[in-house]
Amino acid sequence: MNSCKFVSESNLPTKFGDFKISAFEEPNGKDHLALTIGNIHEQDIVMCRVHSECLTGDALHSLRCDCGPQLQAALEMLAQNQSGILLYLRQEGRGIGLVNKIRAYALQDQGHDTVEANELLGFPADLREYNICLDILEHFQIFKVNLLTNNPKKVTALEEVGINVVKRTPIHEGENERNKNYLETKRDKMGHLS
């Protein structure tokens, strides 16, 4: 397992509240972020969102997915809770990268769903890895989490790398007419809970 090392930390005021942003780097040069709010060290169970990068949804406000609204909802939930952590993992397009994600979009425009598009490009439905999450959470001395997710496979993947997920809280945001098929595919083919 490659260890992810802490690099630097700074203040990050947002429209949701005042967070701290911490940078982490893998030995291969890939970097990841953690946003924390409140005194997480005083919490036995820390509210946590593990969010994989989605440039099109997070920054460009694409309606093809629900990523941007889920990211914003998670930050809002952490701020309202006055404590928690968001891990922002740099694994665009379920791990296939930005360019391949746009290729997958083109296949979706032709009628394929998101799983079929990845498979037609020669990838599995989901290439994301979560072992780096353990390193980041251990840096903050977080040992139990309340995970903000609709994805039971993410809970399993985190538990498999040694993270104690004691609770799962659903996070429902971002459904619209343009991403209806995408969300149905996540539910029907990838096991996401509604």
Side-chain angles (χ1 to χ4, degrees):
M1 181 188 312
N2 290 342
S3 61
C4 202
K5 69 172 185 175
F6 171 77
V7 178
S8 187
E9 180 181 84
S10 177
N11 294 319
L12 185 72
T14 74
K15 69 179 183 178
F16 308 106
D18 292 339
F19 286 80
K20 295 260 187 204
I21 187 167
S22 301
F24 293 83
E25 189 173 57
E26 292 185 74
N28 63 11
K30 187 180 269 190
D31 49 8
H32 308 280
L33 301 172
L35 279 74
T36 58
I37 192 167
N39 194 341
I40 52 179
H41 304 295
E42 292 180 358
Q43 307 293 314
D44 182 42
I45 300 169
V46 177
M47 187 177 280
C48 175
R49 168 74 177 170
V50 175
H51 189 91
S52 293
E53 177 180 38
C54 176
L55 178 70
T56 51
D58 297 343
L60 302 176
H61 307 287
S62 168
L63 297 177
R64 294 184 83 122
C65 65
D66 57 347
C67 302
Q70 284 204 352
L71 174 62
Q72 292 186 34
L75 291 170
E76 188 171 5
M77 290 169 77
L78 295 176
Q80 287 175 352
N81 190 56
Q82 298 181 348
S83 178
I85 186 168
L86 183 139
L87 306 186
Y88 194 85
L89 306 182
R90 305 293 302 280
Q91 10 189 45
E92 183 76 47
R94 296 187 180 277
I96 67 173
L98 183 58
V99 171
N100 284 320
K101 177 174 151 178
I102 304 307
R103 288 184 177 121
Y105 278 177
L107 290 168
Q108 291 169 39
D109 290 343
Q110 297 170 22
H112 300 283
D113 66 38
T114 184
V115 170
E116 294 165 347
N118 277 21
E119 290 171 347
L120 284 168
L121 291 171
F123 299 109
D126 195 337
L127 266 177
R128 292 176 294 180
E129 296 181 0
Y130 297 102
N131 52 0
I132 50 176
C133 297
L134 182 61
D135 293 329
I136 296 171
L137 291 176
E138 284 182 346
H139 169 81
F140 291 103
Q141 297 183 327
I142 295 171
F143 303 106
K144 297 178 184 176
V145 298
N146 168 12
L147 192 66
L148 304 177
T149 187
N150 302 326
N151 185 354
K153 290 181 180 177
K154 187 182 286 184
V155 173
T156 301
L158 291 172
E159 289 175 337
E160 285 174 353
V161 300
I163 295 167
N164 188 358
V165 181
V166 297
K167 184 178 178 185
R168 182 192 69 84
T169 298
I171 181 165
H172 296 295
E173 292 294 332
E175 185 175 346
N176 64 69
E177 282 303 312
R178 305 294 289 275
N179 67 14
K180 187 176 179 185
N181 291 339
Y182 168 77
L183 295 178
E184 287 174 357
T185 299
K186 286 208 305 186
R187 182 193 67 217
D188 299 342
K189 289 191 174 182
M190 304 181 87
H192 285 227
L193 303 172
S194 53

